[in-house]
Amino acid sequence: MCRVLKCDKYRITQYYSNSHKAIDMVKYYSATCPIIAHTEGTIVFCQTGQKNNPKATGNASYGNCVKIKHPDGYYTLYAHMEKVYVKKGQYVSKGQEIGYMGNTGKSFGSHLHFEVRTQNDTRINPQPYLDADLPNMSTKYYQTYDNVKNKWLPKVRVGSSDYAGNKGNGQSGFKCDILTYRVHDKVKKYWLPWVTGSKDYAGNLPNDFDAIQFKENVTYRVYDNIKKKWLPWVTGSKDYAGNYGNSIGGVQIK
Ligand SMILES: [Zn+2]
């Protein structure tokens, strides 16, 4: 899978070099494709209204362009887009569509110009990251099973400002990489066994859980579907997050 183009197969049309500190890429045999955020983050630069201009210099050469700042301080930049779907200051999640491939700015055919930059804004070779996390990103993910949609919801990265769940829908299963956790069965009214890692899950489908607890010193909170609000943050296993009897619509780990 490609982390920046919404397609199964892509082709690199220009590699990273000293004179081109980016990667140019297209969808395999097609130059039309939605562009997605490599990693969650905040839009720090957003340029729109640009047309194709082979003589453009400076930022105009990027055409319609989006730059995202990620939780590890790194940046990704997406240039020459036909359409931009986001605004400066907006928070986007991993895989969210941010625009559509195009030929704006100093460009000679529809493609994506993709850059990865360090905390100092230094451009590095993006190729190792086309299907991998940026440096220093936590690799722990968690997810919940939505009892209304009857499926596992998308994975969320520990430490991101996103959460697992779907406010209003009861969640009946939970799993998380590496960590040890358990949930309280709302129907049986007791704590289910501790589970470690994501090969198994905590829960008892289709019973909603109404509380969750972690053994490790992580900080977490849950969304109370009855009170319709996030309950206070809790750290470690001395306490738990939840409210017995009330289903949970979201779990968030700091
Ligand atoms: Zn390029």
Side-chain angles (χ1 to χ4, degrees):
M1 282 298 286
C2 178
R3 292 272 292 259
V4 292
L5 296 184
K6 195 175 183 179
C7 65
D8 293 331
K9 255 180 140 184
Y10 61 87
R11 195 159 59 92
I12 294 176
T13 52
Q14 193 177 353
Y15 287 86
Y16 181 88
S17 67
N18 279 335
S19 57
H20 182 251
K21 296 191 168 184
I23 272 184
D24 287 351
M25 53 200 297
V26 293
K27 181 181 173 183
Y28 206 61
Y29 293 124
S30 169
T32 56
C33 186
I35 291 164
I36 56 179
H38 181 280
T39 302
E40 67 269 20
T42 304
I43 309 292
V44 291
F45 176 76
C46 188
Q47 180 165 267
T48 57
Q50 304 289 306
K51 303 230 178 321
N52 182 262
N53 177 9
K55 289 179 182 166
T57 56
N59 276 343
S61 64
Y62 282 130
N64 296 327
C65 174
V66 165
K67 185 180 179 185
I68 306 175
K69 184 174 188 180
H70 302 292
D72 61 347
Y74 276 60
Y75 301 90
T76 53
L77 182 145
Y78 313 77
H80 308 311
M81 289 194 280
E82 177 64 33
K83 289 176 191 151
V84 172
Y85 301 149
V86 292
K87 290 195 177 81
K88 190 179 173 185
Q90 185 181 338
Y91 186 85
V92 293
S93 51
K94 176 188 171 189
Q96 183 177 333
E97 285 189 28
I98 56 171
Y100 206 84
M101 189 185 286
N103 187 32
T104 57
K106 188 179 177 181
S107 174
F108 303 89
S110 182
H111 72 286
L112 170 67
H113 170 102
F114 175 61
E115 296 182 4
V116 172
R117 300 184 180 201
T118 66
Q119 292 97 332
N120 306 325
D121 231 12
T122 303
R123 287 173 285 180
I124 58 171
N125 188 353
Q127 203 175 346
Y129 307 108
L130 289 180
D131 185 27
D133 283 334
L134 296 170
N136 307 319
M137 290 290 289
S138 161
T139 52
K140 290 199 283 289
Y141 288 87
Y142 60 104
Q143 63 186 142
T144 57
Y145 188 91
D146 189 314
N147 236 351
V148 178
K149 294 190 168 182
N150 283 319
K151 63 175 188 183
W152 287 97
L153 297 176
K155 290 180 181 177
V156 175
R157 194 177 57 79
V158 169
S160 76
S161 62
D162 205 358
Y163 67 92
N166 202 352
K167 290 174 183 169
N169 292 3
Q171 310 294 307
S172 57
F174 178 86
K175 59 178 157 184
C176 181
D177 296 332
I178 304 163
L179 299 173
T180 298
Y181 49 93
R182 64 176 183 171
V183 298
H184 186 268
D185 188 317
K186 183 182 153 216
V187 179
K188 293 193 170 179
K189 296 184 176 148
Y190 59 64
W191 285 95
L192 298 172
W194 290 100
V195 172
T196 300
S198 52
K199 287 196 176 137
D200 199 1
Y201 68 92
N204 199 2
L205 275 48
N207 293 0
D208 285 352
F209 60 85
D210 54 14
I212 188 165
Q213 192 174 38
F214 288 87
K215 263 202 177 149
E216 290 84 0
N217 211 30
V218 292
T219 300
Y220 53 99
R221 65 175 181 172
V222 297
Y223 184 87
D224 187 318
N225 274 341
I226 307 294
K227 294 191 170 182
K228 294 193 167 77
K229 65 174 187 184
W230 287 98
L231 299 177
W233 291 101
V234 170
T235 300
S237 60
K238 283 187 181 148
D239 199 358
Y240 66 86
N243 213 342
Y244 293 152
N246 292 1
S247 76
I248 282 170
V251 178
Q252 191 175 30
I253 311 175
K254 254 188 188 169

